[in-house]
Amino acid sequence: MAADTYSLQALVLRKTKLGETDLIVTLLAKDGRQVRAVAKGARKPNSSFASRLEIFSEVDLLLVCGKSLDIVKEAKLLDAHIGVRGDMEHAAAAAPVVDLLTRLTQPDLQAPRMYDLATSALSHAEGADANGALSLCAAFMLKAFAFSGFRPSLDRCVMCGKPLAEGDSRIQVSFSPAEGGAVCRDCLMFSETIQVGSDVLSWAHWLMMSTFDDIGAKEVPRHISFEVLHLSQAWIREHVGSKLKSLEFLFTCGLF
């Protein structure tokens, strides 16, 4: 009896070697589920899969149901996002996008907005310069947190709701990933906090609430993007349980 087959539109998040010639691909399906499948022979020089299952690629797949992992039967490339893959700085800036998605998404949990968010971020990064791609990555991280149900409080105290001072780099604000965001002095207790300028939090709130079109049209200072990404790393460590290696690389690679 023939195995069941089905079609799947997906974004390639990760590739893992299997045996001598096969690959396990981790995918973000259009409905937001994470799917892992085997692409047999994908590492052979003459494989038709080789150029169609690169990280960052949007693909239309035909999959065969397997016992443990499904098997890629056919792959059609929809968008390679070559502007991201073909440049070292853009690839480094975009890598945390797919890295975070492998941590936030789950096999049996649909999150339809996550696919559109990710593909839109990659498309906008292609049309931006390296610094613009960096700010779009920072915005994606914050938006992905919000879509996943643990949005940080960036413009007011997470405890009492008191609005924070806006846009002043001289004012330091306590940020507590464990408590859920910024904490004013009156509410600060015993949680471990990060001291961050109120201007950074103002920018972070703007990045989280603005469209990618607006972010791409505005010049976000490079140091602000890095500060927001450092906050994101602390947030991930607290709520996901580990750091993103792609972010650690971004902080130390010297490309920006």
Side-chain angles (χ1 to χ4, degrees), residues 154-155 164-168 197-207:
L154 300 168
D155 63 335
L164 302 174
E166 295 185 7
D168 192 339
S198 67
D199 59 331
V200 175
L201 291 182
S202 293
W203 272 106
H205 185 257
W206 181 82
L207 288 169

Side-chain angles (χ1 to χ4, degrees), residues 1 49 69 78 141 152 225 229:
M1 183 175 180
F49 293 143
L69 293 175
L78 300 178
M141 307 293 274
S225 295
L229 289 171

Side-chain angles (χ1 to χ4, degrees), residues 134 138 221-231 250-251 256:
L134 199 65
R222 185 188 306 178
H223 78 278
I224 293 292
S225 295
F226 271 107
E227 290 283 356
V228 173
L229 289 171
H230 276 289
L231 286 180
L250 192 58
F251 298 151
F256 294 88

